[in-house]
Amino acid sequence: MSTNDERDRAVLDADEAVEALARVLKRNDVVAALTERGVNTSLALTVVFGLEAYLQGDKLAAIDELATALEEISRRASVPE
């Protein structure tokens, strides 16, 4: 296998891992378990979308997604429950 093929496979592996994580975060049982822990899966998916954009080289989309998640997580953390 050539070096380019190995790099292409590595990128594909990373893309597949991110897609798998997104699928897991959409499962009802995972949503329920994470919600019990105070984790908002919609925000977690926003982080995943930011990571996906970054890995694909779309840094502006990554900044937008990750900044949105950071702002919302920070806002929610500063509000007493």
Side-chain angles (χ1 to χ4, degrees):
M1 184 180 281
S2 74
T3 302
N4 285 338
D5 289 342
E6 290 171 356
R7 280 190 222 133
D8 290 345
R9 182 66 214 164
V11 169
L12 184 58
D13 287 347
D15 289 343
E16 289 173 354
V18 171
E19 290 171 8
L21 178 57
R23 278 193 308 276
V24 168
L25 288 172
K26 293 176 184 178
R27 286 186 5 211
N28 290 335
D29 59 331
V30 173
V31 171
L34 291 175
T35 299
E36 282 184 25
R37 294 175 54 190
V39 175
N40 181 303
T41 53
S42 294
L43 287 175
L45 282 167
T46 301
V47 172
V48 171
F49 297 148
L51 174 60
E52 178 179 46
Y54 186 73
L55 293 176
Q56 293 174 354
D58 189 348
K59 292 182 176 124
L60 292 178
I63 289 167
D64 183 52
E65 294 289 349
L66 295 170
T68 297
L70 176 62
E71 290 170 9
E72 189 60 25
I73 293 167
S74 295
R75 185 188 69 77
R76 291 174 185 219
S78 67
V79 176
E81 294 188 37

